[in-house]
Amino acid sequence: MEADAKGVPICLAHVEGRYAALGNVCPHRQGPLGGGWIEGGAVVCPWHAWAFDLNSGKAVAPAKGRVAIYPVKRVEEDLWVEIPQESAV
Ligand code: FES
């Protein structure tokens, strides 16, 4: 799903009880990763199916580029995403 943290567009994923927060903007042509799907431990962009590893943010197919990974934790009913100061808008 897509979200916003301090003005930074985020892709949030929940896989096997674990949460991941990645940059939402695909480095290929700026597709919304949060509108994609999960496949083999990667989020797949809905526009042209580039895939990015949920742990490292590295592109896995094709292996070009990466997206940011942000620490995320669940606090009661909320998800807290840690955005570095230089990334906040
Ligand atoms: S915009 Fe994401 S794969 Fe092309």
Side-chain angles (χ1 to χ4, degrees):
M1 72 179 286
E2 296 178 73
D4 176 283
K6 292 186 179 176
V8 176
I10 300 294
C11 165
L12 283 174
H14 185 212
V15 181
E16 298 176 356
R18 179 183 162 270
Y19 293 96
L22 302 85
N24 192 47
V25 181
C26 177
H28 179 221
R29 293 198 180 161
Q30 291 71 55
L33 293 179
W37 62 93
I38 303 299
E39 195 173 293
V43 60
V44 181
C45 180
W47 285 9
H48 312 100
W50 284 26
F52 300 88
D53 185 272
L54 289 169
N55 294 313
S56 69
K58 285 184 172 179
V60 293
K64 293 180 178 179
R66 69 166 47 228
V67 293
I69 293 287
Y70 302 105
V72 59
K73 65 180 175 182
R74 185 168 182 169
V75 179
E76 298 178 3
E77 299 299 317
D78 298 321
L79 290 179
W80 289 20
V81 178
E82 187 178 319
I83 302 295
Q85 189 66 32
E86 63 273 11
S87 298
V89 176

